[in-house]
Structure formats: C-alpha cells, structure tokens
C-alpha cells in the first residue's frame, strides 16, 4: 500500500511578483476533526476566526515594523494552548494577501501539530533529523492555500541536543530565508519545564507568550517573562479565559 499522499505541483508562495511552484505534498484535512481540535481560523463563519485574525494583524504589524519573519510560541507550563494558537495563527497568516506561513513543530517532546491537523503517514521532521529526507521532502500543504507544515510525528528523547545541531539550525535558516513573504511560526515546549526553547529562540526573531488562564500562577508568568528577557517578546496571549467572549487576549 502506498502510504504517502500523491505528489503534485503546488503553489506555495504568492509573492505578487514572484510566483514559485514547488513539489509540496498536499493532504486534505477532515473538517470535523479540525473543529473537534479547535482548529477554526480557516472558517470565517466561526467567531473565533475573527479573534485569530485580530491577533494575526497585530502580530504582523509589529513583525513588519521590525522586519521580523519568524515567531516562536511558548508558554510557562504545559497545556496552555501553544499548539492551538500556533496552528490557528499560521492559518490566519496564510489567509492574508501577500503572506504565506510555514508552521514548524519544534515541540519534539510532545509534538501535536500532526495530531491536531489529522496528518497521517506523511514524512516529518523525524525523517529530516534522521537524514532520511531533505527539507523539501517533509513539507506538507494541508489543503489550506499558502500554508505549509513541517510536522513531527514521534517524540524525540534527546530533543534539546537535537535542536542544538547544525541540522536543526539549517532547517530554520532554510525555512526562514527561502521566501520573502513567508512567516515562520514555531511551536515550542513550555519554557519553565525544559531547555528546548532556549536553544531555539536565539534563531527566531520574536516570541509570543501564551498564558493559560487558570493554568499559570503569577509567579510562573513572571518567571517565564524573566526567561524571555533576552528575546523579543512580541506579545502575551491570555488563553482559555472563562467567558466565551474573552477567549484570547493579546497585549
Ligand atoms: N482557548 C481554549 N479554550 C478551550 N480549550 C482550549 C483552548 N486552548 C487550548 N485548549 C485545549 O487545551 C488542550 C491543550 O492545548 P494545546 O495542546 O494547544 O496546549 P499546549 O500548550 O500546546 O500543550 P503542550 O504543553 O502539551 O504542548 C487541548 O485539548 C486544546 O484543545
Ligand atoms: Mg503543544
């Protein structure tokens, strides 16, 4: 049985003057699964999608002012909603004219991007790190125009060591520099739990801190901000707030 989705020429970059075609695998996603996993930013009928568009526009404005092209998503502790925010933000960015997004799952300890999107039987960063596949081979277009995903299928034991290698650095360089209009969104593990984010953040232009409402104490939030003091903190999102209308705050 052929476990790989078919290859087909696919538009992955829509710079006005520079339309580039490349061989990116396209996988069509299951809408019901996406809804279940709160991946809603592509669906304009959902009010959550407007919240993500607001977050996206605020973030893109600051990134453009500073000529930043890559953003990492971290939180103090687990389960604050980093992956949820990373995926929806990347989708919302991809919907912006003249922008494309590459979402990278660099949470090698608890990789969830593939699970939330329902990506199955695709090549992933595991194959890139093992040397089995090259950069281009593992990129997936999940049926959303101008969005490309580099997923991680299996958790990795020595993740921070792996993220310190030239191979990891090379991946970020390629991901960031290949297309002028591309915004790189990097999902990372929690900053108070492990050193992986500190390994990756020096190579990323700015960082978004996701706070879990009712998850993080004030002490944890301050400690996380202290750890991020040497990086460009672009904003803080309060996620999982109690009332529906206050789903996500950005400041
Ligand atoms: N705003 C929200 N409202 C309700 N549930 C949410 C919200 N954000 C995230 N969740 C849910 O909380 C759980 C954890 O979210 P997610 O996996 O995005 O967190 P994470 O910070 O990436 O966790 P980890 O540290 O394990 O990587 C998921 O089940 C997700 O659907
Ligand atoms: Mg996660």
């Amino acid at each position: 049985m052929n476990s790989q989705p078919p290859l087909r020429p696919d538009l992955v970059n829509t710079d006005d003057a520079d339309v580039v075609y490349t061989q990116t695998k396209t996988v069509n996603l299951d809408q019901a699964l996406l809804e279940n996993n709160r991946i809603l930013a592509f669906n304009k009928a959902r009010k959550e999608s407007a919240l993500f568009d607001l977050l996206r526009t605020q973030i893109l404005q600051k990134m453009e002012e500073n000529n930043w092209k890559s953003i990492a998503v971290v939180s103090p502790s687990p389960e604050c909603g980093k992956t949820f925010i990373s995926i929806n933000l990347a989708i919302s960015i991809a919907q912006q004219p003249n922008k494309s997004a590459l979402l990278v799952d660099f949470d090698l300890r608890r990789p969830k991007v593939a699970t939330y999107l329902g990506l199955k039987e695709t090549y992933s960063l595991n194959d890139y790190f093992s040397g089995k596949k090259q950069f281009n081979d593992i990129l997936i277009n999940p049926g959303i125009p101008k969005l490309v995903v580099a997923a991680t299928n299996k958790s990795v034991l020595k993740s921070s060591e792996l993220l310190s290698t030239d191979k990891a650095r090379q991946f970020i360089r390629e991901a960031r520099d290949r297309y002028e209009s591309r915004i790189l969104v990097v999902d990372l593990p929690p900053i108070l739990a492990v050193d992986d984010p500190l390994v990756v953040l020096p190579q990323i232009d700015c960082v978004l801190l996701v706070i879990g409402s009712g998850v993080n104490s004030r002490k944890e939030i301050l400690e996380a901000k202290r750890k991020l003091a040497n990086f460009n903190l672009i904003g803080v999102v309060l996620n999982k707030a109690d009332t529906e209308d206050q789903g996500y705050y950005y400041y």
Side-chain angles (χ1 to χ4, degrees):
M1 197 180 82
N2 181 7
S3 63
Q4 291 301 318
L7 269 175
R8 70 161 215 216
D10 185 46
L11 179 67
V12 292
N13 182 52
T14 58
D15 277 348
D16 281 345
D18 178 28
V19 175
V20 177
Y21 290 86
T22 190
Q23 295 256 303
T24 297
K25 294 166 203 68
T26 299
V27 178
N28 287 316
L29 303 184
D30 175 346
Q31 302 265 331
L33 178 95
L34 294 179
E35 289 263 332
N36 244 344
N37 291 333
R38 298 188 168 84
I39 311 303
L40 308 158
F42 63 92
N43 184 353
K44 295 292 176 201
R46 297 291 301 248
K47 70 177 183 344
E48 292 90 343
S49 109
L51 291 168
F52 276 106
D53 289 350
L54 187 61
L55 178 67
R56 165 205 63 194
T57 298
Q58 288 174 293
I59 284 175
L60 285 181
Q61 278 171 353
K62 267 199 204 174
M63 290 183 78
E64 268 160 32
E65 273 166 29
N66 292 285
N67 203 20
W68 291 338
K69 291 172 66 184
S70 52
I71 179 167
V73 180
V74 300
S75 61
S77 57
E79 298 272 317
C80 293
K82 295 178 295 300
T83 305
F84 158 75
I85 299 274
S86 299
I87 298 174
N88 281 298
L89 177 63
I91 292 172
S92 182
I93 290 172
Q95 288 178 334
Q96 184 78 354
N98 305 322
K99 288 275 175 265
S100 61
L102 170 53
L103 171 64
V104 179
D105 192 351
F106 262 4
D107 185 345
L108 303 184
R109 292 174 189 256
R110 303 217 295 188
K112 284 282 174 60
V113 170
T115 311
Y116 286 5
L117 289 175
L119 299 176
K120 285 187 213 121
E121 299 175 335
T122 55
Y123 290 124
S124 77
L125 279 161
N126 300 101
D127 304 296
Y128 171 81
F129 282 124
S130 71
K132 206 167 114 190
K133 290 287 157 193
Q134 304 290 314
F135 177 85
N136 274 329
D137 301 330
I138 66 153
L139 301 182
I140 307 289
N141 169 232
I144 295 168
K146 299 195 283 129
L147 175 66
V148 178
V149 178
T152 296
N153 285 352
K154 278 184 248 133
S155 64
V156 170
L157 270 182
K158 293 190 169 179
S159 57
S160 78
E161 289 84 349
L162 194 54
L163 290 168
S164 314
T165 58
D166 281 347
K167 224 169 158 42
R169 268 193 274 277
Q170 176 64 24
F171 189 90
I172 292 177
R173 261 199 307 277
E174 287 217 40
R176 199 187 46 199
D177 298 340
R178 191 166 289 206
Y179 299 108
E180 184 53 35
S181 68
R182 182 183 272 172
I183 300 292
L184 178 62
V185 179
V186 184
D187 188 14
L188 286 173
I191 192 139
L192 298 184
V194 292
D195 62 331
D196 303 33
L198 297 178
V199 172
V200 176
L201 284 173
Q203 299 153 76
I204 306 296
D205 295 321
C206 59
V207 55
L208 183 69
L209 178 62
V210 177
I211 303 296
S213 174
V215 179
N216 294 126
S217 66
R218 186 180 154 74
K219 187 164 169 269
E220 283 175 330
I221 297 168
L222 292 176
E223 181 63 12
K225 286 183 89 172
R226 201 184 59 74
K227 285 217 167 189
L228 295 174
N230 292 332
F231 306 107
N232 295 315
L233 180 61
I234 194 168
V236 181
V237 171
L238 179 63
N239 188 36
K240 300 189 171 185
D242 275 349
T243 69
E244 281 202 4
D245 288 341
Q246 296 175 335
Y248 334 99
Y249 277 134
Y250 173 79
Y251 50 96

